[in-house]
């Protein structure tokens, strides 16, 4: 995909500044194996990382391999993960994913995207979290922060996560994909919040086409 040079230059500078601002940015979910990270990532949908880490601290003492999760009664799993929300669906995904790993993958977590996407409950975002964090592979993680910030920063005009992923991949060299994903996530939490981004504190403010929009937004809300 051909991207205008000015956009590539702007993306490169945004990437450089954000990685510099958040040099230690990484996934905050606790895990000791790629499999534990998939489970934690499934549980993290619509839930905070802190809550997931509390739940998995107990859960992984009961079970931490695909074989153990594949055999765990669904009621027991639902009870253990209940506080992460959407626990019926999450339990179904974790159990189904574990059963398929045992049946089709010899109990090992795959590396390539095609195999990841065969697993129940595993979409590109989950696959890319594991690829970037557990395997140290280049991957763009299109979570809610990444989608919001890449749109605000004018790095994409797309809405669909897989299109946004492709747009950003075309703009940046692959050695920056994973670090940039984590840095964006940290920036989304710390500065570029969904409702009230702190544009005056943003290291990319002068490069962001949305910076001028938010003072008006806040005034119009009377805040
Ligand atoms: S300038 Fe504002 S909208 Fe743009 S990335 Fe920074 S905080 Fe977000």
């Amino acid at each position: 995909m051909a991207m205008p040079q000015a956009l590539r230059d702007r993306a490169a500078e945004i990437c450089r500044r954000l990685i510099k601002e958040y040099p230690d940015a990484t996934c905050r979910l606790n895990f000791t194996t790629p499999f534990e990270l998939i489970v934690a990532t499934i549980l993290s949908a619509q839930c905070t990382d802190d809550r997931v880490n509390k739940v998995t601290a107990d859960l992984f003492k009961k079970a931490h391999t695909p074989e153990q999760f594949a055999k765990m009664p669904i009621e027991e799993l639902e009870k253990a993960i209940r506080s992460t929300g959407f626990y019926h669906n999450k339990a179904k995904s974790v159990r189904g994913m574990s059963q398929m790993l045992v049946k089709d993958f010899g109990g090992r977590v795959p590396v390539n995207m095609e195999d990841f996407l065969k697993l129940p409950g595993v979409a590109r975002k989950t696959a890319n979290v594991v690829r970037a964090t557990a395997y140290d592979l280049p991957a763009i993680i299109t979570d809610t922060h990444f989608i919001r910030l890449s749109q605000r920063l004018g790095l994409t005009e797309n809405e669909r996560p897989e299109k946004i992923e492709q747009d950003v991949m075309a703009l940046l060299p692959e050695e920056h994909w994973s670090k940039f994903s984590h840095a964006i996530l940290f920036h989304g939490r710390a500065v570029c919040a969904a409702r009230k981004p702190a544009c005056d504190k943003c290291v990319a403010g002068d490069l962001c086409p949305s910076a001028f929009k938010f003072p008006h937004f806040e005034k119009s809300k009377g805040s």
Side-chain angles (χ1 to χ4, degrees):
M1 192 188 325
M3 291 287 194
Q5 190 57 45
L7 177 55
R8 299 171 75 96
D9 292 346
R10 196 166 59 79
E13 181 59 15
I14 291 169
C15 176
R16 190 190 68 75
R17 288 192 203 174
L18 288 182
I19 290 176
K20 190 174 169 215
E21 184 75 0
Y22 307 99
D24 301 323
T26 188
C27 177
R28 294 198 312 196
L29 295 169
N30 294 337
F31 68 98
T32 60
T33 62
F35 175 72
E36 285 188 359
L37 183 56
I38 306 190
V39 173
T41 308
I42 291 173
L43 299 185
S44 72
Q46 308 287 318
C47 184
T48 64
D49 290 350
D50 287 344
R51 164 59 49 194
V52 172
N53 287 339
K54 275 190 192 125
V55 166
T56 55
D58 291 332
L59 179 63
F60 291 156
K61 282 181 203 149
K62 289 184 195 151
H64 59 95
T65 65
E67 291 77 8
Q68 290 166 333
F69 273 98
K71 282 191 220 146
M72 187 186 282
I74 196 83
E75 299 78 18
E76 186 182 338
L77 182 53
E78 285 183 350
K79 195 172 163 204
I81 66 171
R82 190 182 179 105
S83 65
T84 67
F86 304 98
Y87 60 94
H88 287 307
N89 283 343
K90 288 180 181 176
K92 216 167 126 194
S93 293
V94 169
R95 195 154 181 265
M97 179 269 296
S98 302
Q99 287 172 340
M100 186 179 276
L101 283 179
V102 173
K103 185 166 157 283
D104 297 341
F105 293 92
R108 281 192 296 276
V109 174
V111 174
N112 72 65
M113 181 60 78
E114 200 187 338
D115 286 338
F116 261 114
L117 296 181
K118 292 176 187 158
L119 301 171
V122 175
R124 292 189 70 85
K125 191 209 90 175
T126 302
N128 278 330
V129 169
V130 178
R131 284 161 50 81
T133 312
Y135 293 140
D136 211 15
L137 291 168
I140 292 287
I141 303 167
T142 50
D143 67 356
T144 171
H145 295 288
F146 196 94
I147 291 169
R148 183 177 73 252
L149 269 72
S150 57
Q151 289 170 338
R152 285 180 176 173
L153 285 160
L155 304 181
T156 183
E157 292 179 353
N158 280 301
E159 298 286 330
R160 289 173 48 208
E162 58 273 27
K163 289 279 180 196
I164 294 173
E165 184 185 338
Q166 285 170 7
D167 286 345
V168 179
M169 284 163 73
L171 284 171
L172 297 173
E174 68 173 35
E175 66 263 30
H176 295 323
W177 294 350
S178 301
K179 279 196 164 197
F180 184 59
S181 296
H182 288 129
I184 282 257
L185 190 150
F186 272 52
H187 195 56
R189 286 185 177 136
V191 177
C192 190
R195 289 180 66 81
K196 287 187 181 177
C199 300
D200 55 329
K201 298 191 177 72
C202 180
V203 293
D206 59 316
L207 299 170
C208 177
S210 303
F212 71 94
K213 292 181 190 167
F214 291 105
H216 169 71
F217 171 84
E218 292 194 13
K219 259 186 230 157
S220 71
K221 293 276 176 191
S223 53

